[in-house]
Amino acid sequence: MRRTLRTALIGLLSATALAATPWLTAPATATPTAAAATFTDNFDGAAGSAVDASRWGYETGDNVNNHERQYYTDGTKNAALDGQGHLVITARKENPANNNCWYGRCEYTSARLSTSRTFTTAYGHVETRMKLPRGQGMWPAFWMLGNDIGSAGWPNCGEIDVMENVGYEPSTVHGTLHGPGYSGAGGIGAGYTLPGGAKFADDFHTFAIDWSPNKISWSVDGNVYQTRTPADLNGNRWAFDHPFYLILNLAVGGYWPGDPDGSTTFPQQLVVDYVRVSGGN
């Protein structure tokens, strides 16, 4: 399950578990190149510094249709390097800028980053290594949107959720496809649960897809847990035959995870060790 997104400037639709559409700044579309698409960010840099602007851009605002509670900011308070080779996306229970959300004055801040202006790929191996946050209401995700979203809209552009987690399932992550006729709660996907009751917040884990024409496989720590092809779509169109861009975000609350409660502590962090793409075009 994922979320749709609507931008404040040009009304682009993108990802969501319940066909939601947040108000976010409009992403520009990167121009795909003919050469093999490769992307690597190891998040090296001084503690407190911003992400590399040649790789990532901020998407800011709130998300009314998902009923998420956070306001996505564009500063280093919510997305910064830690000086040890990690990007840290931090969700905080605060609103120092007095931003307004769909429900009134925003209660939380967080960050959402994408490569919509800088990088796209069609096919290839897409991988990240992350340590997830914990707690009721947390919703971290690493996902991809078709770069034709401006013309095709969501879900026709397609969406690939490489990894999503909701806080009430600390040992399980989900991988999902969204497209025409199989979007929102009707997305096609599966979950992966760590053995022995281990939790994704306790250590780093590797999340990946291998994407080729008419086939996408998901893995956790090298363990493939699902493979999808056009045969899984009940006759609906396979929307994964063109370039997509990458998104990293940490949402707070929403229809799928539910809102934070008295058991949730803040700040919470999504710690990203690296993001890599190879073998695309």
Side-chain angles (χ1 to χ4, degrees), residues 36-51:
T38 60
F39 178 98
T40 300
D41 198 340
N42 294 318
F43 302 109
D44 296 321
S49 59
V51 292

Side-chain angles (χ1 to χ4, degrees), residues 123 158-160 177-179 182 211 216 238-242 244:
Y123 313 125
E159 174 182 334
I160 305 169
L177 296 179
H178 300 272
Y182 49 101
W211 174 22
I216 303 175
W238 180 259
F240 313 101
D241 55 3
H242 60 284
F244 278 56

Side-chain angles (χ1 to χ4, degrees), residues 120-175:
T120 64
T121 186
Y123 313 125
H125 180 81
V126 181
E127 177 177 308
T128 186
R129 183 172 182 264
M130 300 189 293
K131 183 163 66 172
L132 305 188
R134 70 178 76 237
Q136 169 59 36
M138 295 298 102
W139 190 0
F142 175 53
W143 48 296
M144 306 173 70
L145 281 174
N147 76 332
D148 60 343
I149 187 170
S151 57
W154 188 91
N156 290 336
C157 66
E159 174 182 334
I160 305 169
D161 299 329
V162 181
M163 187 289 304
E164 288 187 283
N165 167 261
V166 287
Y168 61 80
E169 295 179 332
S171 300
T172 300
V173 294
H174 298 263

